[in-house]
Amino acid sequence: TIYDKGLIYKGYKIVPYCPRCGTALSSHEVAQGYKDVKEVSVYAKFKVKGEQNRYFLAWTTTPWTLPSNVALCMNANEDYAEIQVGEERYILADALVSKLFEEGSYEKLSLKKGKEYEYAEYEPLFNYETGAKKKAHYIANDDYVTLTDGTGIVHIAPAFGEDDGRVGRKYDLPFVQMVNERGRFIPEAEDLEGMFVKDADKVIIGKLKANGTLFKEELFEHSYPFCWRCDTPLLYYARSSWFIKMTE
């Protein structure tokens, strides 16, 4: 009956997905599986292109998505400070500087709106061959970026998040998906190949440490969805699925 009424369509979008069962989950199913978990979140240093010791500071609770990074996102209307700490300069939301740096440990060099940084370029954290043809690794702007946690700069991986996907479409960013439908890294991820995403977090953090782009790591407690059938952590993953046009 639903099909006869023309209410079924095939869509390609970000869905909560269980890599073990190989199925997308509805919002009702997702609601059954939330747990409070402590995971390592990271603050990464994205080097401003063509400049020495100058970085955008971005925060993520999912280090495994960093190899698929294609942009950073700032809120156009918020203030961003550039500060000097020793030899290095960092750009982050002015309101969050005091959360990460002790008073007296830095010098504030400038204050600009996020809009003024739009399209500024940075160097990628990793050199994986992603096959991306479109322009990437620059600053985007979007209102969804808040100043409640982190640095006020969000890393964008359009294959693994609803907001990321939307920003990706808005800026015509390349679609990079370094993880397969089993939640494991693909061959292009070289040393990460075959690793389950949550197991890869430690390795990726180790790589950031080794190449000097890890600013800091910290335990972050948040509510995360697990599959109600098999207890596997869900991934927000872009894939083709059949949907019902509920709003119609």
Side-chain angles (χ1 to χ4, degrees), residues 119-160:
Y119 298 109
E121 296 181 42
Y122 64 88
E123 293 176 10
L125 294 176
F126 306 108
N127 296 319
Y128 297 128
E129 184 46 65
T130 62
K133 300 286 185 279
K134 294 176 180 176
K135 185 173 166 57
H137 306 116
Y138 59 84
I139 301 294
N141 282 169
D142 196 86
D143 291 346
Y144 95 91
V145 179
T146 63
L147 306 189
T148 46
D149 293 301
T151 65
I153 303 178
V154 177
H155 115 83
I156 299 289
F160 304 112

Side-chain angles (χ1 to χ4, degrees), residues 16-55:
Y17 174 78
C18 175
R20 195 206 75 87
C21 299
T23 53
L25 280 75
S26 72
S27 55
H28 298 286
E29 291 177 297
V30 174
Q32 294 180 64
Y34 275 94
K35 291 183 199 174
D36 288 333
V37 291
K38 282 185 176 170
E39 296 185 293
V40 175
S41 67
V42 300
Y43 293 83
K45 293 155 53 176
F46 291 81
K47 189 170 179 285
V48 178
K49 195 170 182 181
E51 299 207 29
Q52 286 301 315
N53 301 330
R54 189 171 178 232
Y55 302 94

Side-chain angles (χ1 to χ4, degrees), residues 155-212:
H155 115 83
I156 299 289
F160 304 112
E162 217 167 309
D163 288 314
D164 301 55
R166 189 172 47 73
V167 172
R169 289 189 295 277
K170 178 172 154 187
Y171 283 88
D172 195 28
L173 290 163
F175 185 83
V176 174
Q177 201 165 33
M178 299 294 275
V179 171
N180 66 19
E181 291 198 349
R182 288 173 53 237
R184 297 179 183 278
F185 278 90
I186 61 176
E188 286 78 1
E190 298 167 10
D191 50 333
L192 300 171
E193 183 186 353
M195 241 181 245
F196 184 65
V197 291
K198 294 290 185 182
D199 300 330
D201 278 352
K202 283 193 191 76
V203 181
I204 288 166
I205 292 167
K207 285 167 78 73
L208 296 177
K209 272 182 193 156
N211 65 22

